[in-house]
Amino acid sequence: MKAARAKTPRRPALKKPPAPGPKDPVGVYCRVRPLSRQDQECCIEVISETTVQIHPPDGYRVFRNGEYRETQYSFKEVFGTLVVQKDVFDVVAKPLVEDLIRGKNGLLFTYGVTGSGKTHTMTGSPGDGGLLPRCLDMIFNSIGPFQAKRFVFKLDDKNGVDVQCEVDALLERQKRDAMPVPKTPSGNRRQIDPEFADMINVQDHCKVDEVDEDNVYSVFVSYIEIYNNYIYDLLEEAPFEQIKPKWNSCNTPVRNGDFIPPQSKILREDQNHNMYVTGCTEVEVKSTEEAFEVFWRGQKKRRIANTQLNRESSRSHSVFIIKLAQAPLDADGDNVLQEKEQITLSQLSLVDLAGSERTNRTKAEGNRLREAGNINQSLMTLRTCIEVLRENQMYGTNKMVPYRDSKLTHLFKNYFDGEGKVRMIVCVNPKAEDYEESLQVMRFAEMTQEVEVARPVDRPLCGLTPGRRFRNQAFKEELARKLEMRGGPINGETEEQSASEIFLQSFPPLPSCELLDPNDDQTLPKLIEVLEKRHKLRQMLSEEFAKNVLAFKTTLQEFDSSVISKENYIQGKLSEKEKTIAGQKMELERLEKKIKTLEYKIEILEKTATIYEEDKRNLQQELESKSQKLQRQASDKRRLEARLQGMVAETTMKWEKECERRVAAKQLEMQNKLWVKDEKLKQLKAIVTEPKNEKPERPSRERDREKPIQRSVSPSPVPGDVFKTRGGGQAVQFTEIETLKQESPTGRKRRSSPSNPDPPEDAADSEWTDVETRCSVAVEMRAGSALGPGYQHHAQPKRRKP
């Protein structure tokens, strides 16, 4: 048993802080492919531009009770069966390409069941290119005139980029040209492969409107696939070679002509916490044709198999990565700025996910079954990551997102953490057989729309003057035009040769100098004559040249003197101007100081005015509040006064009635008391005046009632019945209310007195004494004593004092 080898502990990486700024939800779009046959049953219907409706097919029961339910799902936009590839590109992919050229990252992936049209949407078909060739075409249409030469930008093995000068780039190009390895063909040098020529023949000429013209650009592409949760480079050439016979791990010989699968790649994290594939082939391309040819070369190596649901079913997730490196030009607008901090590397990842499938429908066995399991597992991990992200954002939890459970989610972890814009196209097949799978896809898409990704920030500006490139080109064109107008090329040696030739042509031509006959006496004299003429002409030219030189020297001296005088004049003027400028500068400084002083005063006054206005507003508010308070108090006072007046009136009326009642009761009580006293006095008087020998005998009331007697006749009739008493007297039982009045002798005099015609009310009360009696009150008294000479009996009703 081997001992376990200890692993070097890895230093934990610093966690990235959460990306600040606003967030955008993941853009989810839906595309419905047309049915393969017209007689097929359809279970998905496009309701509007943003809504689809999915309903169970005939014979399918959603619930146990047999109820059918139609469900609607909303997307950012829905593309029906008649929508062309250009419309999908304009809505979904075009903004991602614009962000790529502006230095931002982007991720676009297609998701759906097998046979739903994901690869067609991404790659396209002959005559109708998909999103990938259209993205490449838009990129090169936008940066075509601003591309750098090959190898000016050089990618390193740590997901970074370096910039080289023109000399190093030239040496690199020469070295690559001398290598026996086949070079990446350029679209301009060789004919396009007719197999994919129709896919990239895009006539739209779409491009980004605002491209930084002072930058240089380079495009790098790479193509990988994730197969059985392993990453493979589709542009790698070495592994697909024939090998010699050898024994494999199963002790079975590998025959000549078999192929060993390529080595899987490893995911790494760079210094910016972005994930990348180590050792992946990245090719620099200069045209749409060249880039798509690289893609097509890798597409041929992608694993595709025939299943019962799809004749060309993708058995792996493919990722086509477009990297755009850009750097600004220097201040002169000629060369690339040699500063690594100024380089911007943006990335657009186009992902074609393998379709989820059910093995009971595909009838997969062996390798196909294993592939289907790994595909479904990776898609399930993607769904789990989206669910955890959604839960963390909606409920504020901090659960760990399981990115590392799958290579697919681990590769694009930085996009969901806020390193770019994420968009997804959900492809669905409306046929009834895919109802359950389509339902799961719709639910996943609905959940994905609730996940928000931080919006990428704009890259900083370099700080150099814009428009450097075109100014430099305009300067070069103007310089070439002026040199052409002067009649000579730029090269100085050619100008000297043409001037010497013109000077020699001004001399007389030399005759033939060949002496063929010794007796020839004409050749030499002619030659001497021509030479003499040339000598005279040379002397004349020399004299003329000397005269011209002298005249030129004189002109130069005169010019120098004039220049000196003008310089002196200009110096004097300049000194005067400088003095004036100095005075104006001093005046400007004084005025600036004055302006600063005034500005300071204005600022103080503004602050004071602001304070006063604030105080005024506060006082106005306080005054308004006080006035409102006073108004409320006055209204409360009026209400209280009205209420008190009502209460006083009510209380007054109540007490008046109570006083009247009490006074009446008191009057009645006093009258009763007076009557009782009078009766007692009368009885006492009757007892005192009764004869001593007579003993009155009080008969019983019953007997008196049984034997009534006749009323006695008296000077004044008594209102009642008269009975005899035991003592021999008489008793009266009154049956009416009577008032007995006794006239006072003093009162008669007062009434007859003329000096006081209106006596007061108290005096009138003192003159008379009223006694009220009630019916059925029997009083025993003697008739003779009861009716005395001083009394007057009158039957009248009761009288009350007011």
Side-chain angles (χ1 to χ4, degrees), residues 694-762:
E694 294 181 1
K695 293 182 181 178
E697 184 175 336
R698 185 179 183 89
S700 63
R701 291 184 179 180
E702 290 80 4
R703 189 178 62 185
D704 293 339
R705 287 173 184 171
E706 291 175 359
K707 298 179 181 180
I709 62 175
Q710 300 293 330
R711 294 184 182 179
S712 61
V713 178
S714 61
S716 133
V718 179
D721 298 329
V722 180
F723 300 94
K724 289 183 179 182
T725 63
R726 289 181 181 181
Q730 293 179 350
V732 181
Q733 184 177 3
F734 295 98
T735 58
E736 294 182 3
I737 298 175
E738 296 179 350
T739 302
L740 300 180
K741 294 183 180 180
Q742 183 178 7
E743 185 176 353
S744 175
T746 58
R748 187 179 298 113
K749 292 179 181 180
R750 287 176 185 173
R751 287 196 302 270
S752 62
S753 177
S755 61
N756 191 6
D758 296 327
E761 187 177 358
D762 296 337

Side-chain angles (χ1 to χ4, degrees), residues 438-451:
S438 299
L439 196 63
Q440 296 297 326
V441 169
M442 293 293 183
R443 291 172 181 171
F444 172 70
E446 186 178 33
M447 179 181 59
T448 306
Q449 293 182 97
E450 299 177 357
V451 176

